[in-house]
Amino acid sequence: EAEVAQSPRYKITEKSQAVAFWCDPISGHATLYWYRQILGQGPELLVQFQDESVVDDSQLPKDRFSAERLKGVDSTLKIQPAELGDSAMYLCASSWGTGSPGELFFGEGSRLTVL
Amino acid sequence: GENVEQHPSTLSVQEGDSAVIKCTYSDSASNYFPWYKQELGKRPQLIIDIRSNVGEKKDQRIAVTLNKTAKHFSLHITETQPEDSAVYFCAATTGGGSNYKLTFGKGTLLTVNP
């Protein structure tokens, strides 16, 4: 069964360092999402792509976060510089992205710890 | 934007009992309401969903009800089993076509005691 792949699974870094997360969605899925999940809370959308275009990045802290999906397939989320408050699980998800809303398929996430 | 409130934040039941989790949403234009289950250390997975033109949907021991007038929807799990223990998230979706947005609730930690 096809799954969303993410790496790394775990990342420990010091504040002010740069970190990057990678996501490979299910083949053929046009929509890709990056969510941040703080322990004990629900996922919060950071950025949403339709193919290679950003359709929603209203909650992305653009002074330190960036995201790209250059060829409309895999995607990278970068944080520079990392801050203590960035410690969280970063979840990538994908969906077919056509027609009416449907199921999001999540990756296993990248857990970030900023020291 | 959309705001989704979920209650309770924790729920403990005995095996075989029923569990109910409730969510309210703020945007009357929301049209799709999925429920995700996240086991400890694993990815969230869709367990059931309901669209705004339907009032109730059932899948074996799981059912979801939607009250559009009151803007609330609920997850019902009957005959709970220890493997139902997980965090459950509701979500409400606004928009359509290729540009729809899910807003998640904060989650309910369900513990089923053997």
Side-chain angles (χ1 to χ4, degrees):
Chain A
E1 183 177 325
E3 294 184 337
V4 175
Q6 285 189 250
S7 66
R9 289 290 310 280
Y10 303 93
K11 178 69 177 179
I12 300 174
T13 191
E14 294 184 343
K15 63 180 182 179
S16 79
Q17 296 299 303
V19 296
F21 304 112
W22 176 79
C23 172
D24 191 13
I26 291 172
S27 178
H29 280 193
T31 308
L32 185 147
Y33 312 79
W34 282 102
Y35 283 91
R36 177 168 58 187
Q37 186 177 24
I38 296 171
L39 195 62
Q41 298 189 19
E44 295 180 289
L45 181 68
L46 291 174
V47 61
Q48 178 176 340
F49 290 91
Q50 180 68 20
D51 299 311
E52 67 276 9
S53 300
V54 173
V55 297
D56 188 344
D57 64 356
S58 57
Q59 300 304 310
L60 188 71
K62 298 181 187 62
D63 57 335
R64 298 184 301 108
F65 286 65
S66 64
E68 60 183 17
R69 194 185 183 198
L70 292 176
K71 297 183 179 179
V73 181
D74 59 337
S75 175
T76 302
L77 177 71
K78 296 180 181 178
I79 308 173
Q80 183 173 16
E83 296 182 352
L84 295 177
D86 296 332
S87 294
M89 175 73 83
Y90 290 83
L91 290 165
C92 179
S94 68
S95 68
W96 289 108
T98 57
S100 55
E103 181 175 2
L104 265 62
F105 295 83
F106 284 87
E108 291 190 306
S110 295
R111 181 166 295 284
L112 173 65
T113 302
V114 182
L115 304 176
Chain B
E2 175 68 278
N3 183 46
V4 177
E5 299 283 342
Q6 183 171 348
H7 299 281
S9 56
T10 61
L11 179 60
S12 181
V13 300
Q14 289 298 122
E15 183 176 358
D17 288 350
S18 295
V20 180
I21 302 170
K22 299 181 179 181
C23 289
T24 60
Y25 60 98
S26 60
D27 190 340
S28 58
S30 289
N31 53 19
Y32 172 68
F33 306 90
W35 287 87
Y36 285 81
K37 175 183 180 183
Q38 186 174 27
E39 298 178 16
L40 186 63
K42 296 189 176 180
R43 69 190 79 196
Q45 291 190 300
L46 181 72
I47 56 170
I48 196 167
D49 56 13
I50 192 167
R51 300 188 187 273
S52 58
N53 59 347
V54 175
E56 183 173 358
K57 183 177 180 180
K58 191 173 182 179
D59 182 4
Q60 299 183 337
R61 298 187 296 107
I62 296 173
V64 58
T65 59
L66 171 64
N67 183 326
K68 288 171 53 181
T69 302
K71 291 191 283 189
H72 69 70
F73 56 113
S74 300
L75 177 71
H76 304 253
I77 306 174
T78 58
E79 301 173 22
T80 54
Q81 301 168 3
E83 52 264 41
D84 294 330
S85 296
V87 178
Y88 292 80
F89 294 100
C90 64
T93 306
T94 52
S98 60
N99 188 14
Y100 52 85
K101 179 177 178 178
L102 273 74
T103 301
F104 285 88
K106 294 194 172 187
T108 297
L109 173 62
L110 172 64
T111 303
V112 180
N113 302 300

